[in-house]
Amino acid sequence: MSSPPQLRLLQTSQVSPPPGTVSESTLPLTFFDILWLQGGAVERVFFYRLPCSTSYFCASVLPDLKSSLSLALQQFYPLAGKIRRSPEPDDDKYEIRYVDGDSVSFTVAEYDADFDAVSGNHARDVGSLLPLLPRLSRSDDDGVPVLALQVTLFPNQGVAVGVAVHHAGCDGSSSMRFMFSWASACAGPRSSAAVVAAPPVFDRSLVSVPRDLYSIFYRSCGQRAEWIIHKEPPADMVIASFTLKRDQIRRLKELVSATAGAMEGGGASLRCSTIMATYAYVWVCLIKARAYGSDRNAHFVFAADCRGRLRPPLPAAYFGNCIGACFVEVKAGELLRENGVVSAAKAIGKVIEEFGDDPLRGAETWPERIKSIVPQQPLSVAGSPRFRAYDLDFGWGRPKKVVITSIMRSGAMSLAESREEEGGVEIGLALPRHEMDQFGTCFSDGLEQLH
């Protein structure tokens, strides 16, 4: 029996913005941010083929990675700061505090595992990915770090860039903008991706809130911030990826649009987007894999970007959290019947339409609704095809694989654009092995029936 792969720590360091380039600052958290105070870290691992020795990597690749990170942090300096409670007496505010010299933990390691086995699409034990994840340190008197990074070399095979961002610091849109800024600075003219032109926008006065949502969210999420940073996943969990090809998505959308109209007695067909079709299909497959009873309520929760929907709208480069919660609930029996995907898509579409009309409708209830349905195993979502994760190029080419590893702890499905074709969608799931086997069967059987 072969011994398990070993991780060898090569160096640990701290990387700061260039000295003297960023003034001491305090960035208040908004109600969008404090909703995630107890949400912990969002973790991603980007895998790249880079067949080189450890000595070459440390001498020729690592210096550029660290110097470009420093430059990126100059623009995205809150990521080098810490989330803390305001020091003012009787103040219920949270903030990101940055002072000159604040830094990001940067770990470099070597891993003797099989690169292709760890970075594949197949179901594999989550334990193979855990060594690649950086750790945000726990709360101290100065607060909680926002960002931690780990670069792991698979000698003569490839490299993995692991990222952990505390969700209260920013959402996926902001963190990916930072990643593109770092990668672009590292790659220079070798980059195959467009440079992020717009610098981050930190102005909190742009966030117009019609009601005192901060106080409402604080009572639920902020009074006893437990700082749950990293929670260990179950031992029997596996992680895998599935792809909906462009043609399969087209067929799903056509099925939903045509059947929804017929179900309404020949009325107008339902306009089904790629996201609606993907959400609906995965949700139905998961309900089947978990063998839900017909009378059980099935819950689906997903986030939607509010930047362009607030009044007035926020710029796309606004840094922080600006996502609203969308809740879908139907009887499992609706999803288990012949046209279950259509029923799911209709329910999801209705919620999306309502969100578009008013993204903050019912926002006062978000924290309590989330708490109430967590015990019922809701499906949720991490990531988005809009983030273009597979375009992130440090000068080594496009990633071979991108994994949102925090789904191992959150139970969410991850979404990204397909690496192989424009218009496809890649889905990641972390489930107990028996559920993953059932899901894979439902997923493939359902696609076969589309032909």
Side-chain angles (χ1 to χ4, degrees):
M1 185 176 178
S2 60
S3 59
Q6 297 297 310
L7 184 83
R8 184 166 71 94
L9 191 65
L10 299 179
Q11 64 172 258
T12 57
S13 60
Q14 300 291 131
V15 178
S16 304
T21 59
V22 181
S23 302
E24 182 176 319
S25 68
T26 300
L27 188 66
L29 298 192
T30 72
F31 76 94
F32 283 118
D33 301 313
I34 66 168
L35 183 63
W36 300 101
L37 277 174
Q38 299 178 24
V42 177
E43 302 157 344
R44 286 179 171 84
V45 180
F46 300 82
F47 292 90
Y48 296 86
R49 289 205 182 278
L50 191 64
C52 64
S53 67
T54 301
S55 59
Y56 176 86
F57 180 83
C58 291
S60 301
V61 179
L62 191 56
D64 287 343
L65 263 180
K66 296 177 75 169
S67 61
S68 57
L69 172 60
S70 178
L71 292 175
L73 288 172
Q74 182 179 343
Q75 275 203 319
F76 290 83
Y77 62 87
L79 292 174
K82 290 185 177 179
I83 302 170
R84 69 174 190 177
R85 184 85 171 264
S86 170
E88 297 299 322
D90 302 320
D91 195 340
D92 64 357
K93 303 301 182 184
Y94 283 86
E95 60 193 21
I96 300 177
R97 178 69 168 168
Y98 174 83
V99 297
D100 192 31
D102 276 353
S103 58
V104 170
S105 171
F106 189 89
T107 301
V108 183
E110 180 186 81
Y111 198 27
D112 63 5
D114 184 311
F115 178 76
D116 287 322
V118 176
S119 62
N121 293 323
H122 61 286
R124 58 221 185 271
D125 292 338
V126 296
S128 66
L129 290 165
L130 293 178
L132 308 177
L133 305 182
R135 308 287 287 188
L136 293 173
S137 61
R138 292 205 174 260
S139 175
D140 56 32
D141 292 338
D142 297 324
V144 177
V146 185
L147 173 68
L149 299 164
Q150 179 175 321
V151 176
T152 306
L153 179 69
F154 294 70
N156 301 309
Q157 300 179 80
V159 64
V161 179
V163 185
V165 181
H166 198 295
H167 208 326
C170 65
D171 58 21
S173 174
S174 293
S175 63
M176 284 301 298
R177 282 177 174 269
F178 159 73
M179 291 299 296
F180 274 101
S181 176
W182 178 21
S184 178
C186 183
R190 297 171 295 163
S191 176
S192 62
V195 176
V196 179
V201 175
F202 301 116
D203 187 356
R204 295 306 200 236
S205 70
L206 298 175
V207 183
S208 176
V209 184
R211 308 176 290 285
D212 189 13
L213 291 176
Y214 188 96
S215 295
I216 295 170
F217 283 26
Y218 172 81
R219 287 194 294 271
S220 182
C221 307
Q223 286 183 309
R224 298 181 302 277
E226 297 171 359
W227 305 113
I228 301 171
I229 309 297
H230 302 280
K231 184 174 66 175
E232 293 304 314
D236 66 338
M237 182 167 283
V238 296
I239 191 167
S241 299
F242 303 85
T243 299
L244 284 174
K245 297 180 179 179
R246 178 174 54 199
D247 185 61
Q248 292 166 338
I249 292 173
R250 177 186 62 80
R251 290 172 183 269
L252 279 171
K253 291 162 68 173
E254 290 174 351
L255 171 68
V256 170
S257 296
T259 310
M263 291 170 65
E264 296 295 333
S269 62
L270 174 68
R271 182 180 178 275
C272 183
S273 67
T274 293
I275 284 296
M276 282 171 58
T278 302
Y279 283 173
Y281 189 69
V282 175
W283 192 20
V284 168
C285 289
L286 187 61
I287 293 302
K288 291 179 178 179
R290 288 178 171 166
Y292 271 36
S294 296
D295 292 334
R296 180 174 173 178
N297 289 336
H299 296 271
F300 179 38
V301 186
F302 60 94
D305 198 327
C306 294
R307 287 171 175 80
R309 296 181 172 95
L310 295 179
R311 294 294 177 265
L314 295 181
Y318 171 83
F319 179 91
N321 286 282
C322 193
I323 49 179
C326 297
F327 301 86
V328 189
E329 180 180 351
V330 298
K331 288 292 184 184
E334 290 289 305
L335 308 182
L336 294 171
R337 66 185 187 182
E338 182 181 356
N339 293 317
V341 172
V342 179
S343 297
K346 287 175 61 179
I348 293 166
K350 180 181 178 182
V351 170
I352 291 175
E353 183 178 355
E354 292 171 350
F355 177 84
D357 293 339
D358 181 3
L360 297 182
R361 179 185 296 162
E364 298 90 342
T365 68
W366 290 352
E368 295 307 319
R369 290 188 72 179
I370 292 170
K371 288 180 181 179
S372 69
I373 65 174
V374 163
Q376 302 178 57
Q377 285 188 291
L379 176 62
S380 57
V381 183
S384 169
R386 294 185 298 104
F387 296 162
R388 307 299 302 179
Y390 281 103
D391 288 342
L392 191 72
D393 182 4
F394 285 90
W396 318 320
R398 301 174 71 221
K400 174 195 181 267
K401 183 68 179 175
V402 181
V403 182
I404 302 181
T405 49
S406 46
I407 66 171
M408 299 185 297
R409 303 174 174 96
S410 67
M413 68 168 167
S414 65
L415 284 190
E417 79 282 11
S418 169
R419 187 188 189 281
E420 306 306 325
E421 65 167 355
E422 190 70 28
V425 176
E426 181 179 283
I427 301 128
L429 284 171
L431 300 169
R433 185 172 289 278
H434 70 280
E435 281 189 12
M436 187 69 80
D437 292 342
Q438 291 296 321
F439 179 88
T441 299
C442 294
F443 190 89
S444 58
D445 287 353
L447 294 179
E448 284 291 326
Q449 294 171 16
L450 287 176
H451 294 289

